[in-house]
Amino acid sequence: MTSPRRVTRFRITACFLLSATLAACTHAPADSGADAGSGNSGNTTSAGTTASTGQVPLPDWLRARIADYERLPASGAPGSIWRITHQGSPAFYLVSPCCDQFNPLLDARGKEICSPSGGFTGAGDGKCPKPMDAGTDAIRVWVHPGQAEQNPPPPEL
């Protein structure tokens, strides 16, 4: 049986590694959770609007993270960010740049909900096996400028 102390130490280490990987631990959520879109698709600029429509504002915390990500090389930042609907609310799915890293799902305020995919097994952390509501679409809101694939396909969630 695993001791609570060992589990806590593992969780602290995992949180530290995830924070370091995302390079976003200095930004606290500043938005009250306003909806970040209503079905419009397209790339998002660092100004926080969808390039194709100019109508989809992003939460302040996400714009700050995107600005941080754009200063990092593609190998050190998410490759893309997608807006999905999770349990009836907007959420943001970050696609990690490479191998064996979790792909976190963040709520509208920037708090991590789970990691539906990625990790050593590719199956995520197991906390949300059905992260995207049925009948809804994933909307790409940002792609890292250094990403080789500038038009990645939507995640299969």
Side-chain angles (χ1 to χ4, degrees):
M1 181 168 209
T2 305
S3 72
R5 187 176 196 177
R6 188 175 206 177
V7 170
T8 301
R9 190 176 314 145
F10 173 77
R11 286 181 181 163
I12 290 170
T13 302
C15 288
F16 173 76
L17 292 173
L18 180 62
S19 295
T21 300
L22 295 178
C25 58
T26 60
H27 292 284
D31 187 55
S32 64
D35 190 357
S38 56
N40 298 322
S41 63
N43 287 330
T44 300
T45 65
S46 58
T49 59
T50 302
S52 63
T53 65
Q55 297 176 358
V56 182
L58 296 176
D60 291 339
W61 65 266
L62 185 55
R63 284 187 303 197
R65 285 190 184 192
I66 287 172
D68 286 346
Y69 297 151
E70 288 179 345
R71 287 190 284 271
L72 295 172
S75 62
S80 58
I81 299 175
W82 297 81
R83 182 195 177 277
I84 68 169
T85 303
H86 174 74
Q87 297 179 351
S89 298
F92 297 93
Y93 176 73
L94 284 65
V95 179
S96 296
C98 187
C99 331
D100 300 332
Q101 297 177 20
F102 284 124
N103 298 313
L105 180 63
L106 309 175
D107 68 13
R109 294 181 178 199
K111 181 180 176 197
E112 186 171 332
I113 299 168
C114 64
S115 293
S117 63
F120 293 117
T121 66
D125 61 12
K127 294 180 182 175
C128 58
K130 298 201 184 254
M132 192 161 84
D133 293 357
T136 62
D137 294 321
I139 301 165
R140 185 180 62 241
V141 297
W142 179 78
V143 176
H144 191 281
Q147 176 83 6
E149 176 64 50
Q150 285 296 305
N151 193 19
E156 296 182 21
L157 300 175

